[in-house]
Every structure is written in C-alpha cells, then in structure tokens.
Coordinates of all heavy atoms in Angstrom, one line a residue:
F21 N 0.5 15.6 -10.4 CA 1.7 16.3 -10.4 C 1.9 17.2 -9.2 O 2.9 17.3 -8.6 CB 1.8 17.2 -11.7 CG 3.0 18.1 -11.8 CD1 4.2 17.5 -12.0 CD2 2.9 19.4 -11.7 CE1 5.4 18.3 -12.1 CE2 4.0 20.2 -11.7 CZ 5.3 19.7 -11.9
E22 N 0.8 17.9 -8.9 CA 0.8 18.8 -7.8 C 1.1 18.1 -6.5 O 1.9 18.5 -5.6 CB -0.5 19.6 -7.6 CG -0.6 20.6 -6.6 CD -1.9 21.3 -6.5 OE1 -2.7 21.3 -7.5 OE2 -2.3 21.9 -5.4
T23 N 0.5 16.9 -6.4 CA 0.7 16.1 -5.1 C 2.2 15.6 -5.1 O 2.8 15.8 -4.0 CB -0.2 14.9 -5.2 OG1 -1.6 15.3 -5.2 CG2 0.0 13.9 -4.0
T24 N 2.7 15.0 -6.2 CA 4.1 14.6 -6.1 C 5.2 15.7 -6.0 O 6.3 15.5 -5.6 CB 4.4 13.7 -7.3 OG1 4.2 14.5 -8.6 CG2 3.5 12.5 -7.4
N25 N 4.7 16.9 -6.3 CA 5.7 18.0 -6.3 C 5.7 18.7 -5.0 O 6.5 19.6 -4.6 CB 5.3 19.1 -7.3 CG 6.4 19.9 -7.9 OD1 7.5 19.3 -8.0 ND2 6.3 21.2 -8.1
D26 N 4.9 18.2 -4.0 CA 4.9 18.6 -2.6 C 5.8 17.7 -1.9 O 5.4 16.5 -1.8 CB 3.4 18.6 -2.1 CG 3.2 19.0 -0.7 OD1 3.9 18.4 0.2 OD2 2.5 19.9 -0.5
V27 N 6.9 18.2 -1.3 CA 7.8 17.4 -0.6 C 7.3 16.4 0.4 O 7.5 15.2 0.3 CB 9.0 18.2 -0.1 CG1 10.0 17.3 0.7 CG2 9.8 18.9 -1.2
P28 N 6.5 17.0 1.4 CA 6.0 16.1 2.4 C 5.0 15.0 1.9 O 5.0 13.8 2.3 CB 5.2 17.0 3.4 CG 5.9 18.4 3.2 CD 6.2 18.4 1.8
K29 N 4.2 15.4 0.9 CA 3.3 14.4 0.3 C 4.1 13.4 -0.5 O 3.7 12.2 -0.4 CB 2.3 15.1 -0.6 CG 1.2 15.9 0.1 CD 0.3 16.5 -0.8 CE -0.9 17.4 -0.1 NZ -1.8 17.9 -1.1
C30 N 5.1 13.8 -1.2 CA 5.9 12.9 -2.0 C 6.6 11.8 -1.1 O 6.6 10.6 -1.4 CB 6.9 13.6 -2.8 SG 7.7 12.6 -4.1
M31 N 7.1 12.3 0.1 CA 7.7 11.4 1.1 C 6.7 10.3 1.5 O 7.0 9.2 1.7 CB 8.2 12.2 2.3 CG 9.5 13.0 2.0 SD 9.9 14.1 3.4 CE 10.3 12.8 4.6
R32 N 5.4 10.8 1.7 CA 4.4 9.8 2.2 C 4.0 8.8 1.1 O 3.8 7.6 1.5 CB 3.2 10.6 2.7 CG 3.5 11.3 4.0 CD 2.3 12.2 4.4 NE 2.5 12.8 5.8 CZ 3.2 13.9 5.9 NH1 3.9 14.4 5.0 NH2 3.3 14.4 7.3
I33 N 4.1 9.3 -0.1 CA 3.7 8.4 -1.2 C 4.8 7.3 -1.3 O 4.4 6.2 -1.5 CB 3.7 9.2 -2.6 CG1 2.4 10.1 -2.6 CG2 3.7 8.2 -3.7 CD1 2.5 11.2 -3.7
I34 N 6.0 7.6 -1.2 CA 7.1 6.7 -1.2 C 6.9 5.7 -0.1 O 7.1 4.5 -0.3 CB 8.4 7.4 -1.3 CG1 8.7 8.3 -2.6 CG2 9.6 6.4 -1.1 CD1 9.8 9.1 -2.7
Q35 N 6.8 6.1 1.1 CA 6.6 5.4 2.3 C 5.5 4.4 2.1 O 5.6 3.2 2.5 CB 6.4 6.3 3.6 CG 7.6 7.0 4.1 CD 8.6 6.0 4.7 OE1 9.5 5.5 4.1 NE2 8.3 5.6 5.9
M36 N 4.3 4.9 1.6 CA 3.1 4.0 1.4 C 3.3 2.9 0.4 O 3.0 1.7 0.5 CB 2.0 4.9 1.1 CG 0.7 4.1 1.3 SD 0.2 3.6 2.9 CE -0.3 5.2 3.7
A37 N 4.1 3.4 -0.7 CA 4.3 2.4 -1.8 C 5.2 1.3 -1.4 O 5.1 0.1 -1.6 CB 4.9 3.1 -3.0
K38 N 6.3 1.7 -0.5 CA 7.2 0.7 0.0 C 6.5 -0.2 1.0 O 6.7 -1.5 1.1 CB 8.4 1.4 0.7 CG 9.4 2.1 -0.2 CD 10.5 2.7 0.5 CE 11.6 3.3 -0.4 NZ 12.7 4.0 0.3
S39 N 5.6 0.3 1.8 CA 4.8 -0.4 2.8 C 4.0 -1.5 2.1 O 3.9 -2.7 2.5 CB 3.9 0.5 3.7 OG 3.0 -0.4 4.4
A40 N 3.4 -1.1 0.9 CA 2.6 -2.1 0.2 C 3.3 -3.2 -0.4 O 3.0 -4.3 -0.4 CB 1.8 -1.3 -0.9
Q41 N 4.5 -2.8 -0.9 CA 5.4 -3.8 -1.5 C 6.0 -4.9 -0.4 O 6.0 -6.0 -0.7 CB 6.6 -3.2 -2.3 CG 6.1 -2.5 -3.5 CD 7.2 -1.7 -4.3 OE1 8.2 -1.3 -3.7 NE2 7.0 -1.6 -5.5
R42 N 6.2 -4.3 0.8 CA 6.7 -5.2 1.8 C 5.6 -6.1 2.4 O 5.9 -7.1 2.9 CB 7.2 -4.3 3.0 CG 8.5 -3.7 2.8 CD 9.1 -3.1 4.1 NE 8.3 -2.3 4.8 CZ 8.3 -0.9 4.7 NH1 9.2 -0.3 3.9 NH2 7.5 -0.1 5.3
N43 N 4.4 -5.6 2.4 CA 3.3 -6.2 3.0 C 2.6 -7.3 2.1 O 1.6 -7.0 1.6 CB 2.2 -5.2 3.5 CG 1.4 -5.8 4.5 OD1 0.7 -6.7 4.4 ND2 1.3 -5.2 5.7
N44 N 3.2 -8.4 2.0 CA 2.8 -9.5 1.0 C 1.9 -10.5 1.9 O 2.2 -10.9 2.9 CB 4.0 -10.3 0.4 CG 3.5 -11.2 -0.7 OD1 2.9 -12.2 -0.5 ND2 3.9 -10.9 -1.9
L45 N 0.7 -10.7 1.3 CA -0.4 -11.4 2.0 C -0.5 -12.8 1.5 O -1.5 -13.5 1.9 CB -1.7 -10.7 1.9 CG -1.7 -9.2 2.4 CD1 -3.1 -8.6 2.1 CD2 -1.4 -9.2 3.8
A46 N 0.4 -13.4 0.7 CA 0.2 -14.6 0.0 C 0.0 -15.7 1.0 O -0.8 -16.6 0.7 CB 1.5 -15.0 -0.8
D47 N 0.6 -15.7 2.2 CA 0.5 -16.7 3.2 C -0.8 -16.6 4.1 O -1.0 -17.5 4.9 CB 1.7 -16.8 4.1 CG 2.9 -17.3 3.4 OD1 2.8 -17.9 2.3 OD2 4.1 -16.9 3.8
E48 N -1.6 -15.6 3.9 CA -2.7 -15.3 4.8 C -4.1 -15.4 4.1 O -5.1 -15.4 4.6 CB -2.5 -14.0 5.5 CG -1.3 -13.9 6.4 CD -1.1 -12.6 7.1 OE1 -2.0 -12.3 8.0 OE2 -0.3 -11.8 6.7
L49 N -4.0 -15.3 2.7 CA -5.3 -15.2 1.9 C -6.2 -16.3 2.1 O -7.4 -16.2 2.0 CB -5.0 -14.9 0.5 CG -4.2 -13.5 0.2 CD1 -4.0 -13.4 -1.3 CD2 -5.1 -12.3 0.6
H50 N -5.6 -17.5 2.4 CA -6.5 -18.7 2.6 C -7.5 -18.6 3.7 O -8.4 -19.3 3.8 CB -5.6 -20.0 2.7 CG -4.8 -20.0 4.1 ND1 -3.7 -19.3 4.3 CD2 -5.2 -20.6 5.3 CE1 -3.3 -19.5 5.6 NE2 -4.2 -20.2 6.2
K51 N -7.2 -17.7 4.6 CA -8.1 -17.4 5.7 C -9.4 -16.8 5.4 O -10.4 -16.9 6.1 CB -7.4 -16.6 6.9 CG -6.1 -17.2 7.3 CD -5.4 -16.3 8.3 CE -4.0 -16.8 8.8 NZ -3.4 -15.7 9.6
I52 N -9.4 -16.1 4.2 CA -10.6 -15.3 3.9 C -11.7 -16.3 3.3 O -11.4 -17.1 2.4 CB -10.3 -14.3 2.8 CG1 -9.2 -13.3 3.4 CG2 -11.6 -13.6 2.2 CD1 -8.7 -12.3 2.4
E53 N -12.9 -16.2 3.9 CA -14.0 -17.1 3.4 C -15.1 -16.3 2.8 O -16.1 -16.9 2.4 CB -14.4 -18.0 4.6 CG -13.3 -18.9 5.0 CD -13.8 -20.0 6.1 OE1 -15.0 -19.8 6.5 OE2 -13.0 -20.8 6.4
N54 N -15.1 -15.0 3.0 CA -16.2 -14.1 2.5 C -16.2 -14.2 1.0 O -15.2 -14.4 0.3 CB -15.9 -12.7 2.9 CG -15.6 -12.5 4.4 OD1 -14.7 -13.0 4.9 ND2 -16.5 -11.8 5.0
E55 N -17.4 -14.1 0.3 CA -17.6 -14.1 -1.1 C -16.9 -13.0 -1.6 O -17.0 -11.8 -1.2 CB -19.1 -14.0 -1.5 CG -19.9 -15.2 -1.2 CD -19.7 -16.3 -2.2 OE1 -19.0 -16.1 -3.2 OE2 -20.3 -17.4 -2.1
T56 N -16.0 -13.2 -2.7 CA -15.1 -12.2 -3.2 C -15.2 -12.1 -4.7 O -15.2 -13.2 -5.4 CB -13.6 -12.5 -2.7 OG1 -13.5 -12.5 -1.3 CG2 -12.7 -11.4 -3.4
L57 N -15.2 -10.9 -5.2 CA -15.2 -10.7 -6.7 C -14.0 -10.0 -7.1 O -13.6 -9.0 -6.4 CB -16.4 -9.9 -7.1 CG -16.4 -9.4 -8.6 CD1 -16.5 -10.6 -9.6 CD2 -17.6 -8.5 -8.8

C-alpha cells in the first residue's frame, strides 16, 4: 500500500507491468536449451 501510494513508484509499477505484458516471448522460448524447472 505504501509503495502504490507513492506517485513516482506507482508510475513505475504501471510502466513495468505494461512492459511485461508487451514483452511476449512465445516465439523465442524454443531457443532455450538449459535444464528448466
């Protein structure tokens, strides 16, 4: 609550959430060969 009530922090949260939603990796995940859990 304290974080989201801080205007600059809240702006960054929204920016980061939008960035995550835009950054879809579906077409690239086949490149990963490392063992993954």
Side-chain angles (χ1 to χ4, degrees):
F21 175 73
E22 183 179 340
T23 299
T24 58
N25 210 35
D26 181 301
V27 175
K29 288 183 179 179
C30 195
M31 289 173 65
R32 289 171 174 83
I33 289 167
I34 292 170
Q35 284 288 97
M36 192 65 75
K38 286 181 177 179
S39 174
Q41 290 177 335
R42 284 195 305 266
N43 199 301
N44 190 291
L45 302 175
D47 294 335
E48 300 180 68
L49 294 178
H50 69 278
K51 299 174 185 176
I52 298 173
E53 297 187 353
N54 308 66
E55 289 282 355
T56 300
L57 173 64

